[in-house]
Amino acid sequence: MADIIQLLPDHVANQIAAGEVVQRPASVVKELLENAIDAGADTIKLIIKDAGKTLVQVIDNGKGMSTTDARLSFERHATSKIRSAEDLFQLHTKGFRGEALASIAAIAHVELKTKQDTDDVGNVLVIEGSIVTSQDIVVTPTGTSVSVKNLFFNIPARRNFLKSDTVELRHIIDEFHRVALAHPGISFALYNNGSESFNLPISNYRQRIVNIFGAKTNEKLVPVEEDTEVLNISGFVGKPEFAKKTRGEQYFFVNNRFIKSAYLNHAIASAFEGLLKSGTHASYFLNLTVDPQTIDINIHPTKTEIKFDDEHTLYALLRSAVKHSLGQFNIAPVLDFERDPNLDTPYSYKKNETSIPKVEVDRSFNPFQEERSSKPRVASFKKEPTESWESLYVGLESKGNESKQDFSAISFESEERTASIFDEDKQVEKTHTTYQLHNKYIVSTIKSGMMVIDQHRAHQRVLYEDFLKNLTVKEAASQQLLFPLQLHFSPQDIVIINQLKVDLEHTGFVFSSVMEELVEITGVPVGVPESEVSIILEQLVSDVENEVPERHFSASDLLAKSMAKSLAIKTGQSLQKDEQEHLVNKLFACKEPNVSPTNRTTFITMSVDELDKKFI
């Protein structure tokens, strides 16, 4: 029988490895930025075109590479970071596998320019699909410039799986934030399609957070600091009142490396227990420093997952440190019956030096000196005689019957009515009999049996079609606010709101101004409460960033879905009889009543025969 096992060619093996390391343009950004940091650079520039599909370029002023190193860097498992297996447990660099450049070169056109400080000229290397096409001498500044063009040019199927430019750019910005936050001592700049998106100077950690997420972030931060033998914690957590519906601003860094850990995230959530509103998530930017021997980074190609030797201890320390900071800065209520809060030293004066209080003495004071005769004091007012309380009722009976009122002719206000969440519709038919079950389902009778409707999904469908109609017809009604509503967003969120501004105005929003970090709204769609506006816009930005809409969906469709999801009645909300029947009638007036905007079933039916079988 013939042998059937054979070694794969190097270019095929590189393409297979690239599938693990390079998943999208953001993966290339991450690998190149980390290489620049490992090279000792203190100024790094990232240039993006067409969300990284056309160009990803990273320029640094690091130590550069020699001619031999430049050529060898694109070989698999070629690295300057480690020498032996023992080095895996003493890692102080970002990369160590030696697979990133080889994987990137296998699926893109790569141009590398590099020069060491001791050399007069540098080297330029051009690779296309793992094949070196040219290597030459070039005049270039000290450091390295790596240009990755036409990503996935030889894997068209993988390129077709990429999402829209908006989504891919968001992933790139996320990776940029993760690297920039971990290294405030390095200057970063990001240029997207020729315009500067970020310019982050060298700063401390708090300034770096503010430079990325906006000046409004400064008042949200609560410092966290804890040093132990096992773990050193430093960074900031967000105040509970600024918690968001999304998990966007949650960052863990272990030894200056961004990681994801659901276990440690739960420690933060438990520290905020009782302080957050339902469905909101606290922000945090925490640096954890541990002994490299107690962690294992080499478990995932992206290196965002880490195994700890003693996770339980880290959990307890992290939870305690965050709880201590929340109590220390009077964010969380503290009960101590043996302590007088008036004796506490304010934190702003804690580090101030004490000074001896000055004592002033009146040397002319003599307690035995006789007082001089003074003039009699004159009252400044004259006391008028007051009448007795009986005088208040004098003359009431003298008027006789003329003072009597005919109360039967007086009309009183009717009883207070609570506003319905639906528009009044006098044409609602009263033929259906409905019943609300557990404040979640609406049970209605039909000829063949009964029908059970999910009130949240049904209302989503009704609102979705209404908003979509308004966006198409562009004749949505708007209600003006008495006072303009000012909402603060990060610079990248403002970019998304600007893109959707026209569509939002078609639904009924009226914007008076949209600035770098501030949105001012003077009108909202009819039926939208003012308190829900910030939630709607936050949810909308989150959907655009994270929901990854397919190309055949328009921005209007996504906007209608997001607003319907935010404004639909929630599970647990009690509805009146007329509201239940109105919702049922509106649902079956929709074009697609069977499913919600997210393609989930809105109602089920159960015939009498099926019910009869239950009693057999």
Side-chain angles (χ1 to χ4, degrees):
M1 187 174 179
D3 297 332
I4 59 175
I5 297 177
Q6 58 182 352
L7 288 173
L8 290 174
D10 287 343
H11 69 280
V12 177
N14 285 340
Q15 287 187 5
I16 294 173
E20 297 179 352
V21 178
V22 183
Q23 301 170 357
R24 57 188 352 135
S27 306
V28 177
V29 170
K30 173 182 179 294
E31 299 293 345
L32 296 183
L33 288 177
E34 289 181 348
N35 282 344
I37 293 170
D38 288 341
D42 59 9
T43 301
I44 300 174
K45 294 181 181 178
L46 172 62
I47 301 172
I48 300 296
K49 286 186 180 178
D50 298 332
K53 299 173 185 176
T54 302
L55 173 68
V56 174
Q57 184 177 8
V58 173
I59 305 170
D60 67 70
N61 63 345
K63 56 189 176 184
M65 290 182 283
S66 64
T67 305
T68 305
D69 286 347
R71 178 66 186 86
L72 195 60
S73 64
F74 287 95
E75 297 294 332
R76 288 190 68 197
H77 309 303
T79 179
S80 61
K81 315 298 171 59
I82 61 174
R83 291 287 183 269
S84 63
E86 288 75 16
D87 293 340
L88 289 173
F89 298 98
Q90 289 291 339
L91 287 174
H92 298 283
T93 57
K94 300 293 183 183
F96 53 86
R97 291 199 184 102
E99 289 184 330
L101 288 179
S103 299
I104 293 170
I107 54 173
H109 296 166
V110 180
E111 182 184 68
L112 170 71
K113 293 180 180 179
T114 184
K115 173 184 168 298
Q116 292 181 321
D117 192 30
T118 56
D119 297 336
D120 295 329
V121 292
N123 296 278
V124 58
L125 194 66
V126 179
I127 300 178
E128 297 180 2
S130 296
I131 301 173
V132 179
T133 59
S134 68
Q135 184 172 359
D136 207 348
I137 296 174
V138 69
V139 176
T140 183
T142 301
T144 304
S145 170
V146 183
S147 302
V148 179
K149 305 174 184 177
N150 303 324
L151 193 64
F152 300 124
F153 79 99
N154 53 356
I155 312 179
R158 192 66 175 270
R159 190 178 181 89
N160 291 336
F161 275 111
L162 294 179
K163 306 301 180 181
S164 64
D165 285 358
T166 303
V167 175
E168 294 298 339
L169 179 62
R170 182 61 199 175
H171 284 286
I172 290 174
I173 292 176
D174 282 343
E175 291 293 349
F176 179 79
H177 286 173
R178 292 168 182 176
V179 177
L181 284 171
H183 300 276
I186 299 176
S187 172
F188 289 91
L190 171 60
Y191 299 89
N192 177 37
N193 293 333
S195 62
E196 184 181 83
S197 298
F198 291 94
N199 191 350
L200 309 175
I202 296 174
S203 61
N204 59 34
Y205 193 44
R206 190 183 195 114
Q207 290 172 333
R208 177 56 55 88
I209 295 172
V210 171
N211 289 337
I212 290 177
F213 296 101
K216 190 72 176 177
T217 313
N218 191 36
E219 67 183 65
K220 305 177 184 178
L221 301 178
V222 178
V224 177
E225 198 77 36
E226 194 70 42
D227 292 337
T228 64
E229 296 179 357
V230 180
L231 172 70
N232 293 339
I233 305 171
S234 64
F236 302 90
V237 294
K239 294 180 181 177
E241 59 263 31
F242 296 105
K244 292 189 173 183
K245 291 277 186 181
T246 59
R247 298 178 179 270
E249 297 179 359
Q250 295 185 339
Y251 294 89
F252 273 126
F253 301 98
V254 174
N255 296 351
N256 293 331
R257 183 191 302 275
F258 173 79
I259 67 157
K260 296 178 181 177
S261 174
Y263 187 68
L264 295 183
N265 180 72
H266 189 271
I268 304 294
S270 62
F272 276 91
E273 188 175 1
L275 300 176
L276 297 178
K277 296 179 182 178
S278 177
T280 60
H281 307 280
S283 303
Y284 53 81
F285 310 87
L286 295 175
N287 297 301
L288 312 180
T289 304
V290 298
D291 186 352
Q293 293 185 353
T294 62
I295 59 176
D296 185 7
I297 304 170
N298 191 27
I299 62 172
H300 196 274
T302 60
K303 310 184 192 76
T304 55
E305 296 180 14
I306 290 181
K307 290 292 184 184
F308 298 94
D309 275 358
D310 190 358
E311 283 188 330
H312 298 290
T313 302
L314 298 185
Y315 182 100
L317 289 173
L318 188 60
R319 180 176 178 272
S320 300
V322 174
K323 257 188 169 310
H324 174 68
S325 289
L326 292 175
Q328 183 181 14
F329 292 93
N330 295 328
I331 306 300
V334 178
L335 293 178
D336 189 351
F337 300 102
E338 298 179 358
R339 180 178 59 85
D340 185 359
N342 296 323
L343 302 178
D344 289 349
T345 303
Y347 286 100
S348 57
Y349 294 93
K350 192 174 183 181
K351 297 181 180 179
N352 293 356
E353 295 182 359
T354 58
S355 58
I356 301 175
K358 296 180 180 179
V359 180
E360 295 182 359
V361 179
D362 184 6
R363 299 186 180 277
S364 62
F365 175 73
N366 185 356
F368 303 103
Q369 184 177 0
E370 294 182 359
E371 294 183 2
R372 295 180 180 179
S373 59
S374 56
K375 295 181 180 181
R377 298 177 64 183
V378 180
S380 59
F381 64 94
K382 183 179 180 181
K383 187 175 181 180
E384 297 288 343
T386 56
E387 298 180 358
S388 62
W389 62 270
E390 291 90 345
S391 62
L392 296 174
Y393 299 94
V394 174
L396 286 180
E397 297 180 355
S398 61
K399 294 183 181 181
N401 295 330
E402 296 179 359
S403 63
K404 295 182 179 180
Q405 298 289 338
D406 186 7
F407 288 98
S408 62
I410 298 177
S411 62
F412 295 93
E413 292 185 358
S414 59
E415 294 182 358
E416 182 182 354
R417 295 181 60 189
T418 56
S420 170
I421 62 172
F422 302 109
D423 297 332
E424 292 185 2
D425 190 350
K426 297 180 180 179
Q427 297 180 354
V428 175
E429 297 181 359
K430 302 297 183 181
T431 56
H432 290 285
T433 303
T434 59
Y435 175 76
Q436 192 176 21
L437 183 64
H438 293 296
N439 289 342
K440 182 177 182 180
Y441 300 106
I442 297 175
V443 181
S444 178
T445 58
I446 54 177
K447 291 182 179 180
S448 60
M450 72 174 185
M451 174 174 56
V452 182
I453 302 170
D454 187 311
Q455 65 183 34
H456 177 62
R457 295 180 185 177
H459 199 205
Q460 273 194 55
R461 166 54 64 177
V462 172
L463 293 177
Y464 168 71
E465 294 200 4
D466 286 344
F467 285 130
L468 204 57
K469 179 182 177 182
N470 292 338
L471 287 166
T472 306
V473 180
K474 301 179 181 179
E475 293 180 355
S478 176
Q479 58 183 7
Q480 296 300 307
L481 299 176
L482 184 60
F483 300 103
L485 183 63
Q486 293 185 343
L487 303 175
H488 294 270
F489 291 93
S490 62
Q492 54 269 28
D493 291 345
I494 293 292
V495 173
I496 296 176
I497 291 175
N498 270 322
Q499 293 173 353
L500 300 173
K501 182 181 175 184
V502 176
D503 289 327
L504 284 168
E505 288 173 343
H506 292 160
T507 63
F509 282 98
V510 179
F511 296 89
S512 59
S513 64
V514 180
M515 292 174 278
E516 290 185 358
E517 297 179 8
L518 181 68
V519 175
E520 190 172 84
I521 299 173
T522 56
V524 296
V526 174
V528 175
E530 185 177 342
S531 59
E532 294 283 330
V533 174
S534 61
I535 298 174
I536 292 171
L537 292 182
E538 283 182 11
Q539 185 68 53
L540 176 61
V541 171
S542 174
D543 288 343
V544 173
E545 293 172 352
N546 304 320
E547 194 175 72
V548 194
E550 302 295 337
R551 293 178 181 176
H552 60 272
F553 283 123
S554 64
S556 302
D557 183 82
L558 177 64
L559 177 58
K561 282 183 180 178
S562 180
M563 291 184 63
K565 182 168 60 175
S566 300
L567 293 173
I569 55 175
K570 304 298 187 288
T571 298
Q573 183 172 342
S574 177
L575 301 179
Q576 301 296 328
K577 285 288 184 183
D578 56 342
E579 292 177 328
Q580 298 170 21
E581 295 176 356
H582 185 68
L583 178 58
V584 173
N585 292 335
K586 292 284 284 184
L587 174 64
F588 289 99
C590 294
K591 294 180 180 179
E592 293 288 342
N594 297 326
V595 292
S596 69
T598 54
N599 290 324
R600 295 186 175 183
T601 304
T602 55
F603 67 90
I604 60 170
T605 59
M606 184 173 290
S607 65
V608 177
D609 294 338
E610 290 175 325
L611 287 172
D612 290 340
K613 292 178 182 178
K614 300 290 184 182
F615 293 94
I616 294 177

